[in-house]
Amino acid sequence: MTHATTLTPAEIGGIARRIDRPVVLVGLMGVGKSTVGRRLAAMLDRNFVDVDEEIERAADRTVSEIFDSHGESYFRDGERRVIARLMDEAHGVIATGGGAFVDPETRAAILERAIAVWLDCDIDTLVERTARRDNRPLLRSGDPREILTALKDRRGAAYAEAQVHVVTDDAPHTETAQRILEAIDAWL
């Protein structure tokens, strides 16, 4: 899908002024939450924070190390607290880990206090993107395509509760960020 229009700085500013709470990006690993999130935050002239990076900084350990030593439920509890704190601190754009929005408590808090944007893309794109780095604990236990397909099936209903849904593709990050702004504008 090509996107012909480009938002003007005035249009972006108008949308930014209407956004009165954090924009929280949700979706599977590899969909572009961090990369596109940074671009979106810059366009909105707001700050950006990546939840996984924030957790790693606070714990002085990688997400993989936390998963390995304490398990997923321990990680999700910490993740929920970090997301709540980041929303309280009124961060502009927040990129969550792929499983964060699946947790019912985390999802309810995000839906109540932020604009949740589900970034979605096809499995082939996810497989290609996630193959670039070996920092995905959930992909280490088998075939990445099968794991990502199962995760998409299992998590789709939760992601679908986001107020905004944007399908990403191989478009430039700026174009995807503009599509997010247009979708938020339409939702507001």
Side-chain angles (χ1 to χ4, degrees), residues 22 83-91 113:
I83 291 170
R85 175 177 58 80
L86 295 172
M87 288 190 301
D88 286 345
E89 293 170 358
H91 285 280
R113 298 163 48 203

Side-chain angles (χ1 to χ4, degrees), residues 149-185:
T149 301
L151 286 172
K152 188 169 187 167
D153 291 345
R154 195 163 59 244
R155 294 176 175 177
Y159 292 151
E161 290 185 39
Q163 293 102 323
V164 176
H165 180 198
V166 174
V167 176
T168 68
D169 47 28
D170 286 331
H173 300 312
T174 301
E175 187 176 301
T176 302
Q178 291 216 13
R179 292 208 325 253
I180 292 167
L181 286 176
E182 290 170 346
I184 290 172
D185 187 42

Side-chain angles (χ1 to χ4, degrees), residues 10-176:
E11 289 169 325
I12 293 170
I15 296 167
R17 283 189 293 281
R18 294 174 57 219
I19 297 173
D20 62 353
R21 55 197 136 154
V23 173
V24 178
L25 304 179
V26 303
L28 285 173
M29 65 184 94
V31 81
K33 298 179 300 286
S34 297
T35 319
V36 172
R38 283 184 182 85
R39 193 66 46 97
L40 180 64
M43 291 171 105
L44 291 170
D45 196 25
R46 306 227 174 129
N47 67 345
F48 170 80
V49 64
D50 179 291
V51 171
D52 285 351
E53 289 174 9
E54 193 71 13
I55 289 168
E56 288 179 345
R57 198 171 50 70
D60 198 30
R61 305 172 78 185
T62 67
V63 168
S64 295
E65 289 168 342
I66 297 168
F67 257 76
D68 292 347
S69 38
H70 299 288
E72 187 173 359
S73 82
Y74 174 90
F75 174 79
R76 296 292 173 214
D77 286 341
E79 180 180 57
R80 183 180 316 110
R81 289 191 301 274
V82 167
I83 291 170
R85 175 177 58 80
L86 295 172
M87 288 190 301
D88 286 345
E89 293 170 358
H91 285 280
V93 179
I94 301 169
T96 64
F101 201 66
V102 178
D103 178 272
E105 280 182 68
T106 303
R107 184 169 61 253
I110 292 170
L111 289 171
E112 180 183 324
R113 298 163 48 203
I115 300 170
V117 177
W118 172 22
L119 296 183
D120 189 12
C121 75
D122 64 75
I123 294 296
D124 289 338
T125 304
L126 291 176
V127 170
E128 191 261 316
R129 288 179 184 167
T130 57
R132 295 175 190 162
R133 293 197 319 257
D134 181 33
N135 63 341
R136 316 278 186 175
L138 293 178
L139 294 184
R140 292 191 181 142
S141 59
D143 176 70
R145 176 176 303 282
E146 288 174 17
I147 293 167
L148 287 164
T149 301
L151 286 172
K152 188 169 187 167
D153 291 345
R154 195 163 59 244
R155 294 176 175 177
Y159 292 151
E161 290 185 39
Q163 293 102 323
V164 176
H165 180 198
V166 174
V167 176
T168 68
D169 47 28
D170 286 331
H173 300 312
T174 301
E175 187 176 301
T176 302

